[in-house]
Amino acid sequence: MTHYTNVANDNATVHSQIGLVRGDVHFHYQMKGGAPVGPEKFRVGRNYLFGNAPRRAEELIGEAAAYGCASTEVAYYWLLATLSGRSFDHLDQAQLDQLAAAHQMARQFPSDPWSTAVETVYQLISCLAKQERAEGDLDAHEFDQALRRFLALDPVRQSELRRHLDMVLSGGVQDQLEAIGAAAMREQRLAGNRALRVPKFFMPPPAEPRHLLLEAGPDAGSAWVKLVLGGSLLLIGLVVAVPVLIEAGWFATPAVLALIGLGSYLMVQFGVENSWLNERSRREEARFSHRAAVQWYPVEDQQFIADLRNLVDARFRTHLPQGTDESYWMGHTAGVRASLVDELLRQYGWQRGPNAPYDIDWLVNHHARRLATSWLTGTFYGFREQLKVPFLDSLAFTMGVVCWVASILLVFGSSVVAGSFAAFLLVPMLGVGLPLAWSSGRDVLLKRRRQAAAIQDREARYADEWPAFQAWQSYLADTPDDLEMARWLDYDKAYIRVEAMKTFGLTNRDVLSHVILTQVAPLADRARVLFGPPRYSRYDVRLFLLSEGGVREVNTTLDFATGYLSNEHRRSFRYETLSSADVGEVGLQFESGHRHVVPLAEQGAQRQRQLATHKLTFSRALRLTLNNGQQTFLVIENFDLGLIDRMRENLGNLDELARDAAGVSSALRILEAIAAEGSQWIEQERRRRDRRLRAFQKRQQHGQYRGIAHQQQPSIPDDRSAWGRPEIQGPPRQRADRAPGV
């Protein structure tokens, strides 16, 4: 699997990519087990409509109707799902049947706001039909009635109609509705604190703090053996030395014992403490220096470790202390960054979440901020002063050593005075026994202190990280859901279309149809809700305005958090200039932060193998070819980039969902028709639209209705688990020659 990483919080920008699959905590696109099938299909289908996946919504709401789920609300959203993302001339027989079925469903119930919305849609389409036959002139009286009915709707319904009838309505009807909703569109486009909340959608839910796994210290068994050996030598030496000391004089024995006792006390009391401070100081120096390094891990963990290192480096760059050179800061923190990676591996490396290591970004951020603060306050190397051995303690330890040496010399002198050859035995025994007993005893005591300190440090670290975790949870509490992301994107697309028409000096009366396509921009964050379409932090948006004079194309980059548009490019060309439009496999090559699209269909087998060896990622793309051979591509999301839960999701279904959300499903038919018909497309388009509008009006006037198929078995997808509903058991699948529910 190919990984692209990106973390950009706290106003930081990291030039790489991340793919994130969010759990659908709201069950937007998942069936709830145990709930009635029909209502659940309707609920999920409605959410797909809100989430910019109208074809999936149309399917599910039709199935809900087939299960007997009927109401004015169901009729309204079935109507919107059928019309959304389609121009009227591309409604075939099945869709016209569905529109009639939805209309008839609404009329079966008493009038309410939902049925009023249904009738408003029909009246607007009726105005459109009369406008088309009158060559652009509106029936003022009928449109005035439709407009009053539209304005009487709830503002939410008005917004939904503008969003989902965008490609159906045209001409003066569309001009009037856009004029009414222009202020609301500008307001709602950036409403809801969008700039601050959108980046949170691309941040994974944080992993909870964990206790740091303690490092295995050196075995104390050898220290105990040395302690016993040293103590034995010391005890035997003293037993042998006592007669010699007595023979040398009455003062020798108490003097030697006093010196050994005082020396032992001073060395144990101050020597252990001094050794502990020196050990802690060496560990901290190693941690803060280039000597610190991540320990060895298996090969399969190398990608995780590399991502974690990149994350740590990015966070430290984010918290660069004010007035500090970046290279100087990163140089001085090289060791502490490597140590932090090692510590995080001991905390989370043994049991990683699906979004690791980005689910501990909050923790890396916390430690980087803390160290940056210590740098500014001058306490970055504060351990050097805190762990410095006091002078008096060093002096006391030295006095202890002097007492030991003096005791050995006194024993040696007493032996010489007494004329005993025991000195040659006592001196080595005491000279070896005393240091061996002390050093091994010190090691035993240090191990105990080391264990106690490690537990204390671990608990202190855990207690310090919990408030940071809770603060991060609180920060992410207002993360937008997928439906909000889709609504903002719809407002962006409408805004781009309106601004482009102003730039070209066009009105909706001048535009026969339009196509708007979206794709991920290079260096953008990726995220999606389980079973939902992908969302991006930056989009490349491509708009085609199809007018009498030809095609106007606008390409622009959308910063989704701020709504800011940049890198706009415009061009115009005649209809006959477009020679083909198709969807095929392409290769994506990333180099220096830029993406290069390589069409594979035109490459020979050998050339494809060569390309594949240069880090080529395969995707599908909508390809537009002009007569001069120039090609442009719109890349459809490649779910192999870590954006799929392979245990629960079906790649084929997700590809269709991505095409739908990118606008490819609705655009391809229009662009193929233009490529095939050339300059005749305008006339053919008008004929198709006129036929569809006449057929629609005829059904409306005569009340033709083939019936909601309560009695007909719905068409159930073969792979129920692909949409997260293995618990749903519907009627047996039967062959359907038209859309479900008709």
Side-chain angles (χ1 to χ4, degrees), residues 660-671:
D660 201 6
V664 172
S665 298
S666 58
L668 185 58
R669 185 171 179 178
I670 295 176
L671 295 174

Side-chain angles (χ1 to χ4, degrees), residues 273-288:
E273 181 65 24
N274 294 354
S275 297
W276 173 245
L277 292 176
N278 286 327
E279 179 181 307
R280 292 290 297 264
S281 180
R282 287 193 300 271
R283 288 174 63 89
E284 288 300 307
E285 286 289 352
R287 183 170 180 266
F288 277 75

